[in-house]
Amino acid sequence: SGAGKSTVFDLIQRFYEPECGGIFWGERNLSELCLSSVRGLFGYVPQDPGLFSGSIRDNVIYGHPLATVEEINLALRHSHCDQFIAQLPDGLETILGEGGAGLSGGQKQRLAIARAMIKSPACLLLDEATSSLDAESEHYVQQALDKLMKGRTTIIIAHRLATIRKVDTIYVLNDGQIAEQGTHDELLATSDGTYNNLVKLQLQDS
């Protein structure tokens, strides 16, 4: 906690500008691109989804207002939103309170995933997207995330280490620095490493 993980995401999306160095997309420094181009590259699913007062439809198409009915239905099906939306009296036109009031945590998270699916970004940013969910909600959200991550670069912030065991590279941040990097198995092989100790602690807790 407090190592700078969320700050990295803010820098990637240019909510802050780096004081030195640069963040590159291939050969291009992101500072050379206009903000709308930078933000268009990324789909962001935070721990607390940014839903607003309005219909479910408006919340889902926020990143792609010209989405077709087919695109909306596909995203809702793949994010497992269609199940609970079908049970609402007004369906897609159901009006939500500020922050998604009226929906459970798992339902709000799945709507955030549907929004990212419709946008179809080149790179996906997941910030503790399942950490506050119960087991059943996490199951559905993880299934939706697996579909969303397929075929695209994904950067994941996670405290719950089971969610990142299969990723290509794990970076362990400590006090704003990369303390360790490698695969899950490589980092476990470092007996006195930070990652190894975190895994042991989580196994103890469970």
Side-chain angles (χ1 to χ4, degrees), residues 82-119:
D82 55 337
Q83 303 164 1
F84 73 82
I85 290 175
Q87 298 173 1
L88 299 173
D90 296 320
L92 265 178
E93 307 310 322
T94 299
I95 301 299
L96 302 178
E98 195 67 38
L103 298 180
S104 70
Q107 290 168 342
K108 288 190 284 189
Q109 203 70 306
R110 280 179 270 171
L111 279 181
I113 293 168
R115 177 190 289 172
M117 283 180 169
I118 284 181
K119 186 178 181 183

Side-chain angles (χ1 to χ4, degrees):
S1 296
K5 301 182 295 298
S6 295
T7 300
V8 169
F9 272 18
D10 289 342
L11 286 166
I12 288 174
Q13 298 173 91
R14 285 187 61 191
F15 296 134
Y16 307 126
E17 298 292 350
E19 294 178 359
C20 59
I23 299 171
F24 290 81
W25 180 268
E27 300 293 322
R28 298 290 302 277
N29 191 322
L30 290 183
S31 64
E32 298 172 359
L33 304 177
C34 67
L35 273 179
S36 61
S37 295
V38 172
R39 306 274 167 80
L41 291 171
F42 302 104
Y44 179 42
V45 181
Q47 181 177 355
D48 185 17
L51 302 179
F52 53 83
S53 179
S55 71
I56 289 178
R57 181 192 301 275
D58 289 341
N59 272 279
V60 169
I61 65 171
Y62 180 72
H64 181 20
L66 300 179
T68 65
V69 173
E70 290 77 13
E71 288 172 326
I72 294 171
N73 289 338
L74 185 65
L76 293 177
R77 187 165 70 250
H78 282 174
S79 61
H80 297 277
C81 289
D82 55 337
Q83 303 164 1
F84 73 82
I85 290 175
Q87 298 173 1
L88 299 173
D90 296 320
L92 265 178
E93 307 310 322
T94 299
I95 301 299
L96 302 178
E98 195 67 38
L103 298 180
S104 70
Q107 290 168 342
K108 288 190 284 189
Q109 203 70 306
R110 280 179 270 171
L111 279 181
I113 293 168
R115 177 190 289 172
M117 283 180 169
I118 284 181
K119 186 178 181 183
S120 192
C123 181
L124 184 64
L125 307 176
L126 304 179
D127 189 352
E128 297 281 0
T130 64
S131 64
S132 61
L133 304 179
D134 59 65
E136 182 180 7
S137 295
E138 183 179 9
H139 170 74
Y140 286 119
V141 168
Q142 193 59 56
Q143 282 188 331
L145 287 174
D146 289 343
K147 287 188 174 73
L148 179 56
M149 290 189 289
K150 191 172 183 179
R152 57 172 47 92
T153 298
T154 305
I155 305 174
I156 303 169
I157 290 176
H159 281 112
R160 195 178 298 180
L161 303 180
T163 62
I164 57 168
R165 290 185 61 174
K166 296 179 182 178
V167 303
D168 298 301
T169 307
I170 296 168
Y171 297 90
V172 182
L173 292 187
N174 187 23
D175 195 23
Q177 305 290 325
I178 296 175
E180 298 171 14
Q181 68 182 79
T183 65
H184 174 77
D185 291 338
E186 288 169 347
L187 293 175
L188 278 187
T190 307
S191 59
D192 59 345
T194 302
Y195 184 83
N196 191 318
N197 290 332
L198 288 171
V199 170
K200 287 176 181 174
L201 285 172
Q202 290 199 7
L203 287 174
Q204 268 185 358
D205 290 343
S206 62

